[in-house]
Amino acid sequence: MRERSTSSRRAFLASGAAAAATAAATVLPAVAGCLSRSAETLRLSAYERESLPDSVLLADPTAPTAQFAIDYPDRYKRDRYRTLIRTGSMTVLNYQLTYTYEFGSETREAARFVVDAEGSGEDVGNAEESDATYYRVHIDDQRTVEREWWEFYLDLVDDPPADAEGVTPPVESLSETDRRIVDAALGAVYADRNPPIDVGGDAFGTRGPLYHEFLDADDSALVPDPPFEHVRSNDRWFAARAEQGTATPTETTYSVEPVADTRAGFEDHVRSTLIETDLSPESLPDAEGDVVRTAVRTPFYEEDLPMSASLRSVMERLGAGEHLPADDAFELGVEFDHLFATVDGTTYAFDLSVQP
């Protein structure tokens, strides 16, 4: 989910400015619980990006987390980054350096970059302008693979036996890693909420932590047979389970493309390739300017279908015009995302979505 930057958002748009929008556009009040739309609508949102280059730069090789309940060790992440920089390619399971997203009817790749100081791959994020190389990350191949792994999970027990005994985390007799696994299993069932989720009937690999390649089941006391039958948390009881089965993680091969050898050059590359245009309202026709003002100054701009000429023109300026259906045959759930522009000197990411 994208987060909206609110730290420097201007005051709410005055009602008089909203009234200046085109007659075809209906700007709906952006108040939760007050929207009552009988027709499909178009919603244009704007998210401030104070430093676009920093937001697309993976400066710390340990920052991205593996898409497992227990993350990869930092040393492994650094090794993967060094391999990527040194050889130009690397393959990893359930680890996202960049990603694809739907843009209308096509799939696009999000812009993500890494930096290497002095050609070593060691000091990522601490490079000086004179000795750093910046790379764009690309997805070369992505596929689902099968692995025979163990899963530890907690099965909700509504009526525990009268003589049942259970442990309450943290279980001091377990290793630090095993305590993390138990905590992650509790997180999977939301045991700190009321009521927790019952995952017992869910598919293998979705109920609790998997023992992936850097979480050795042979070093764990929780598999194949947990040393306790039950776990107690917040007056709830869970049966401790361990099961071996076929997991289907995503294996991705990444490559890198050098784009700059200084920080200034990297920033210039990001601005020239990602920022489509200047949408400062004063430089636009009145109706288009009102669309942009509303999107930037309020939670979003909305209008009922069919799309107004002013909104279509704004999207064309953002570079999405050729992807918009000419006959207004928008499908629910379609998004046009990752569109960047400057507005009065500030960079924004724009997103057009179709709402019910």
Side-chain angles (χ1 to χ4, degrees), residues 45-353:
S45 303
Y47 307 88
E48 187 175 321
R49 293 292 180 259
E50 294 182 359
S51 177
L52 179 60
D54 287 337
S55 68
V56 296
L57 177 65
L58 302 175
D60 181 357
T62 66
T65 57
Q67 293 166 316
F68 292 114
I70 305 296
D71 194 11
Y72 287 136
D74 285 351
R75 65 181 183 278
Y76 173 71
K77 297 180 189 179
R78 293 191 181 98
D79 177 73
R80 292 286 80 199
Y81 270 69
R82 285 193 292 269
T83 298
L84 180 62
I85 297 298
R86 185 176 61 251
T87 70
S89 178
M90 70 95 164
T91 300
V92 70
L93 293 178
N94 272 25
Y95 193 59
Q96 184 173 278
L97 296 182
T98 187
Y99 58 93
T100 59
Y101 61 96
E102 298 303 314
F103 186 86
S105 60
E106 70 177 19
T107 300
R108 292 186 172 184
E109 183 180 85
R112 290 294 181 271
F113 301 85
V114 294
V115 57
D116 174 35
E118 299 181 350
S120 66
E122 298 283 349
D123 300 321
V124 175
N126 297 311
E128 298 294 335
E129 281 196 1
S130 59
D131 56 20
T133 303
Y134 292 80
Y135 302 84
R136 179 161 179 169
V137 180
H138 296 289
I139 297 173
D140 280 2
D141 189 28
Q142 201 163 55
R143 58 216 157 264
T144 298
V145 297
E146 294 184 350
R147 294 290 187 270
E148 293 299 314
W149 284 339
W150 283 92
E151 180 185 35
F152 176 80
Y153 68 98
L154 298 175
D155 194 2
L156 182 64
V157 177
D158 291 328
D159 298 305
D163 59 350
E165 296 183 0
V167 298
T168 301
V171 184
E172 298 300 333
S173 61
L174 295 176
S175 68
E176 179 181 353
T177 298
D178 279 353
R179 289 198 295 269
R180 290 176 60 207
I181 292 171
V182 172
D183 286 344
L186 280 171
V189 296
Y190 300 103
D192 58 344
R193 300 182 182 180
N194 189 19
I197 296 173
D198 185 356
V199 300
D202 293 350
F204 177 86
T206 66
R207 300 168 296 190
L210 286 168
Y211 285 76
H212 52 70
E213 293 171 316
F214 290 88
L215 194 63
D216 192 352
D218 292 338
D219 293 336
S220 174
L222 299 173
V223 295
D225 299 306
F228 41 80
E229 291 186 3
H230 295 90
V231 172
R232 300 192 310 269
S233 178
N234 293 340
D235 297 323
R236 297 283 183 168
W237 286 73
F238 304 88
R241 310 287 193 199
E243 181 180 336
Q244 190 174 34
T246 302
T248 55
T250 299
E251 184 178 71
T252 305
T253 298
Y254 297 99
S255 64
V256 287
E257 168 197 4
V259 297
D261 55 12
T262 65
R263 171 70 188 199
F266 164 65
E267 293 181 358
D268 287 343
H269 174 81
V270 169
R271 294 189 182 99
S272 64
T273 57
L274 297 186
I275 300 178
E276 294 287 347
T277 187
D278 183 353
L279 287 182
S280 298
E282 297 305 318
S283 66
L284 302 176
D286 289 346
E288 295 172 34
D290 288 334
V291 170
V292 174
R293 286 191 190 94
T294 305
V296 167
R297 296 181 180 179
T298 74
F300 47 77
Y301 166 89
E302 271 193 351
E303 65 179 38
D304 292 334
L305 285 170
M307 177 182 261
S308 67
S310 55
L311 178 56
R312 183 174 291 273
S313 179
V314 168
M315 296 303 295
E316 289 172 350
R317 293 175 186 273
L318 286 168
E322 64 182 281
H323 301 280
L324 301 174
D327 57 359
D328 280 326
F330 288 92
E331 296 182 5
L332 287 176
V334 168
E335 288 201 48
F336 300 87
D337 204 352
H338 293 241
L339 297 168
F340 299 95
T342 55
V343 179
D344 295 330
T346 300
T347 300
Y348 288 85
F350 287 85
D351 169 13
L352 179 72
S353 59

Side-chain angles (χ1 to χ4, degrees), residues 24-40:
T26 302
V27 179
L28 301 178
V31 181
C34 296
L35 297 178
S36 177
R37 300 186 297 273
S38 59
E40 295 174 5

